[in-house]
């Protein structure tokens, strides 16, 4: 159960990253490497927002190793505005 507005925004942001990765970036979320990279991005943009300085290094390491495009931009919106 999501008890607060922040928890709802975090969960929606996480799932919307997966939708973006699947629909726009055409990542295969059924493959282990595609799903792993999407999970890293989703966590970075929601649960871990503001924890690690930037996300470019994580994206390059994860997606580069999987042969995917690491240039997907970070998300903006309510979750980004709530970041410290």
């Amino acid at each position: 159960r999501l008890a607060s507005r922040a928890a709802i925004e975090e969960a929606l942001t996480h799932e919307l990253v997966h939708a973006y990765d699947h629909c726009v970036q055409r990542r295969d979320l059924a493959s282990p490497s595609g799903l792993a990279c999407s999970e890293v991005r989703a966590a970075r943009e929601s649960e871990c927002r503001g924890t690690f300085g930037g996300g470019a290094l994580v994206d390059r390491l994860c997606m580069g190793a999987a042969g995917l495009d690491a240039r997907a931009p970070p998300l903006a919106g309510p979750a980004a505005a709530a970041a410290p």
Side-chain angles (χ1 to χ4, degrees):
R1 177 172 165 101
L2 302 172
S4 67
R5 179 184 173 128
I8 292 168
E9 287 180 4
E10 182 179 287
L12 284 173
T13 299
H14 184 104
E15 296 309 320
L16 286 171
V17 170
H18 292 310
Y20 179 88
D21 286 347
H22 176 72
C23 295
V24 177
Q25 293 295 315
R26 303 281 188 224
R27 292 206 174 89
D28 179 9
L29 301 183
S31 78
S33 62
L35 181 59
C37 288
S38 187
E39 286 295 344
V40 167
R41 281 179 30 80
R44 183 194 73 201
E45 297 297 337
S46 57
E47 296 95 345
C48 299
R49 185 88 180 150
T51 304
F52 306 105
L57 178 60
V58 172
D59 279 350
R60 267 189 249 121
L61 290 173
C62 176
M63 294 178 198
L68 301 171
D69 184 3
R71 294 171 292 176
L75 299 178

